[in-house]
Amino acid sequence: GPIQKFFHYRISTRVAWITAYSSAALGYAILFVYYALENQERIGKYAPSETYSLILLIGWEVNFIKRVLECAFLHIFSDTVPILTFAVITFGYTHLGLLCVYFSNQVQGYEISSGSPTFTKDILCIVGYCVGMSTNFYAHVRLRNIRKQSGQDEAIKKYFSLEELGPLFQIFVCPQYVFEILHFVCWSIFGATAAHYLVAFGVTSYLSLRTKSTYQWYKAKGLVKRQVEDAEGGAATHYIET
């Protein structure tokens, strides 16, 4: 029927992800401002910790604004995305963000100071978040530079092996996903509510599946190397073919 045909319709990947990430950033910011205004006359006794909420806001917004800018200016897209996939991802990120704002608004008296019992955890989460964000960005830049070398014509396009991409890709296959998981998990542990842990679980599951499918693609293209014994008992490196 027409509804089924609509959900099979494909749209520009760049437009889809910019819209999805913008929605997540905007939704979180709007609800945060709403609660901030609502709590304005109750700061201290009833309102949530300002520092706690602000750090969560900054972490969420930096992540999604960074992703919008990467989609607009950094990433090279070669395909379209089904509108159903776009709708699910947009709905998921946006509503998880709204849940996190709601739950964090219920937290009272969260102190971030050297005397706080959660101080070490909070600092480790902030450092882990920064490491995850910066390494994720490095991996995206590395992929862009490689893709610019590979050419766009499928007939002559060169695909690079994990070894050619560098040690980070050899170890993690998709470091951009692995370190995105890291900064989301650190952000979620800092938030420490049921909604934040749900974000960590959802992002980890989704990006783990994408990492697995990407690894299978590398194998299918014969772009993964392994050590095998040759006929004389020595070690030799071969590409895995599937």
Side-chain angles (χ1 to χ4, degrees):
I3 295 178
Q4 188 177 15
K5 287 183 179 179
F6 173 76
F7 282 121
H8 279 88
Y9 182 74
R10 303 179 72 89
I11 61 174
S12 161
T13 305
R14 191 181 306 278
V15 171
W17 296 147
I18 288 176
T19 304
Y21 300 149
S22 298
S23 173
L26 192 60
Y28 195 108
I30 289 172
L31 192 58
F32 179 89
V33 170
Y34 169 80
Y35 280 127
L37 294 174
E38 185 183 62
N39 294 331
Q40 191 170 18
E41 297 179 2
R42 298 182 287 144
I43 293 292
K45 187 174 181 181
Y46 300 107
S49 163
E50 288 182 89
T51 307
Y52 165 79
S53 295
L54 281 171
I55 289 176
L56 288 172
L57 170 71
I58 291 168
W60 185 270
E61 296 300 322
V62 166
N63 172 68
F64 283 101
I65 291 172
K66 165 183 168 290
R67 294 171 81 171
V68 168
L69 294 175
E70 285 174 343
C71 289
F73 303 110
L74 182 67
H75 296 334
I76 297 174
F77 297 105
S78 57
D79 199 3
T80 54
V81 63
I83 199 166
L84 179 60
T85 301
F86 157 69
V88 169
I89 297 299
T90 303
F91 180 89
Y93 276 135
T94 303
H95 284 78
L96 282 174
L98 297 178
L99 273 177
C100 287
V101 181
Y102 172 79
F103 273 83
S104 62
N105 189 63
Q106 313 307 312
V107 175
Q108 299 178 19
Y110 195 115
E111 296 296 332
I112 302 172
S113 65
S114 57
S116 168
T118 62
F119 182 70
T120 301
K121 182 265 288 184
D122 293 338
I123 295 301
L124 287 174
C125 286
I126 292 170
V127 171
Y129 175 92
C130 293
V131 170
M133 286 286 288
S134 56
T135 311
N136 168 271
F137 180 71
Y138 164 78
H140 281 307
V141 171
R142 175 68 178 155
L143 283 172
R144 174 183 169 83
N145 292 338
I146 284 291
R147 285 169 180 163
K148 286 175 69 176
Q149 297 174 33
S150 69
Q152 297 303 308
D153 187 343
E154 285 292 335
I156 61 173
K157 183 180 287 189
K158 171 178 170 54
Y159 293 105
F160 290 81
S161 69
L162 292 175
E163 184 180 64
E164 291 172 310
L165 288 173
L168 207 59
F169 288 83
Q170 285 182 282
I171 296 170
F172 297 110
V173 180
C174 294
Q176 71 274 27
Y177 297 153
V178 172
F179 286 92
E180 186 172 341
I181 289 172
L182 172 64
H183 76 245
F184 261 115
V185 167
C186 288
W187 181 85
S188 299
I189 293 174
F190 179 89
T193 72
H196 292 89
Y197 292 133
L198 181 61
V199 168
F201 174 77
V203 170
T204 300
S205 301
Y206 169 61
L207 293 179
S208 295
L209 289 173
R210 289 192 66 174
T211 299
K212 181 180 178 181
S213 65
T214 302
Y215 180 70
Q216 295 299 326
W217 180 88
Y218 277 114
K219 285 179 66 177
K221 295 289 184 182
L223 300 174
V224 181
K225 288 186 175 181
R226 65 179 176 185
Q227 293 289 331
V228 297
E229 288 191 359
D230 59 24
E232 298 177 358
T237 303
H238 296 278
Y239 285 107
I240 298 174
E241 298 286 353
T242 57

